[in-house]
């Protein structure tokens, strides 16, 4: 039955991608009966290379395809490419697999949305950390009201566990007294951590301040700060971001009485960010600049209750980061894409009420030891592409062991719940002055 074609025989090509791709893929050729093995050269194809044909039963074959990456793909098993093992008849042709190549060019909406969501998330995280850091800076200045002599440069290192994640951190601090109520302060910190949502963050900053006593109860200062942040994430998309930023501003601290202190600050900053992200469909880079403005104020009290030192406090913070457009380029389904993604500004308002009770512990002449209990209430409102706001609560527990002649130790545990998100942390810090 040479050169005859059995009318009941058939073969169907199935599988393969439905969108343009430059990645290798496979097709399945299912014959209605066992046939002889055939080679890649027996097929008719364009826009790709057939790298292999395999089978385990001579009826279902796997065709391995490697696209050229810039052409329409067409693959066909022609009539007579193989013969039936039952009667030797030529097998009929298959259906034709086709895949059109699409020149994407502009950014697809999928990429735009992914970039916009990631930039908003990262910016929100950085703005929150900036507000908290600068509020701590201004509050810390209240301890220097009335003058402070030189403080030798000191370093503190810590190891944290936060929501099952590890953290390492360190701080640098020193004060130089120039006389006449004028002093310079050098502060810095680094930390490496991972949060419960899979966002890993490493940062380092260095700040220099020029501070002047304005009266026995008031001081003012100017500060300049540089920061470097590396963040990476792995959720719906995987990626990382490298950021450098410069901040500057002024702060004021005032003693309203022997046990009541106020602080306020205002600052501006500019940042440069490089984002890399993608998934199995796209891989893009994005560069963008940000400009941040922020203000904050707070009150802190300190009262001796006899059995404990009571330190209530309240702070109100607001910041806004303008993002503008992210210049994006990369690949989508194997094709080059480029474009700009507009991202809404991120603004954040935070209000916090806290109360700290420091209870001294008698150690029979040993190092000074204090147990601290600090409940607090927190409200936060974030406005970006949408608004998220809510109030929550928190609790901090701490144990401090201070010795002027030896390294000091601080242990703390804190938990906070706001906007339906609960975070908790454990911190151990050792500090040494040199």
């Amino acid at each position: 039955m040479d050169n005859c074609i059995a009318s009941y025989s058939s073969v169907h090509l199935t599988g393969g991608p439905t969108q343009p791709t430059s990645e290798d893929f496979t097709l399945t050729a299912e014959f209605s009966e066992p046939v002889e093995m055939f080679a890649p050269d027996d097929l008719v194809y364009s826009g790709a290379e057939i790298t292999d044909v395999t089978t385990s039963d001579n009826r279902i074959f796997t065709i391995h395809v490697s696209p050229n990456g810039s052409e329409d793909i067409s693959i066909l098993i022609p009539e007579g490419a193989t013969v039936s093992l039952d009667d030797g008849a030529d097998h009929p042709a298959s259906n034709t697999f086709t895949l059109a190549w699409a020149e994407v060019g502009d950014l697809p909406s999928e990429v735009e949305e992914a970039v916009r969501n990631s930039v908003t998330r990262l910016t929100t995280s950085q703005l929150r950390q900036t507000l908290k850091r600068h509020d701590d800076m201004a509050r810390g200045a209240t301890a220097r009201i009335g003058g402070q002599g030189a403080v030798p440069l000191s370093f503190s290192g810590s190891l944290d566990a936060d929501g099952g994640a590890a953290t390492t951190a360190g701080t640098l601090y020193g004060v130089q007294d120039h006389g006449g109520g004028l002093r310079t302060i050098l502060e810095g910190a680094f930390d490496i951590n991972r949060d419960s949502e899979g966002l890993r963050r490493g940062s380092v900053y260095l700040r220099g301040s020029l501070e002047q006593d304005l009266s026995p109860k008031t001081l003012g200062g100017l500060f300049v700060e540089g920061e470097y942040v590396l963040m990476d994430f792995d959720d719906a998309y995987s990626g990382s971001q490298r950021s450098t930023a410069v901040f500057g501003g002024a702060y004021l601290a005032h003693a309203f009485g022997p046990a009541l202190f106020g602080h306020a600050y205002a600052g501006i900053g500019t940042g440069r960010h490089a984002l890399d992200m993608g998934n199995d469909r796209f891989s893009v880079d994005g560069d963008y600049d940000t400009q941040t403005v922020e203000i904050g104020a707070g009150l802190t009290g300190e009262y001796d209750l006899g059995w404990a030192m009571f330190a209530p406090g309240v702070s109100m913070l607001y910041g806004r980061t303008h993002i503008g457009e992210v210049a994006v380029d990369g690949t989508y389904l194997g094709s080059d894409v480029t474009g700009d993604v507009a991202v809404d500004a991120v603004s954040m308002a935070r209000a916090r009420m806290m109360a700290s009770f420091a209870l001294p512990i008698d150690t029979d002449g040993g190092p000074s030891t204090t147990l601290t209990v600090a409940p607090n209430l927190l409200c936060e409102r974030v406005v970006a592409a949408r608004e998220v706001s809510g109030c929550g609560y928190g609790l901090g527990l701490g144990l401090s062991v201070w010795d002027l002649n030896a390294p000091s130790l601080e242990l703390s545990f804190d938990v906070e719940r706001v906007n339906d998100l609960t975070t908790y942390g454990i911190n151990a810090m050792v500090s040494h002055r040199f």
Side-chain angles (χ1 to χ4, degrees), residues 74-89:
S74 175
I75 299 173
L76 167 72
I77 302 176
E79 178 184 317
T82 183
V83 297
S84 169
L85 290 179
D86 293 336
D87 53 22

Side-chain angles (χ1 to χ4, degrees), residues 263-298:
H263 67 274
Y265 80 92
I268 59 173
T270 182
R272 180 67 174 167
H273 314 272
L275 173 69
D276 305 308
M277 63 176 295
N279 58 15
D280 58 351
R281 294 171 62 82
F282 68 87
S283 176
V284 296
D285 302 331
D287 297 317
Y288 63 100
D289 297 322
T290 56
Q291 298 81 40
T292 298
V293 295
E294 52 175 323
I295 56 174

Side-chain angles (χ1 to χ4, degrees), residues 1-2 4 6 8-9 33 83-90:
M1 193 180 289
D2 292 343
C4 292
Y8 56 80
S9 299
E33 59 185 332
V83 297
S84 169
L85 290 179
D86 293 336
D87 53 22
D90 288 347

Side-chain angles (χ1 to χ4, degrees), residues 20-32:
T21 182
S22 60
E23 301 294 327
D24 293 354
F25 63 89
T26 60
L27 297 176
T28 298
E30 185 172 354
F31 289 82
S32 59

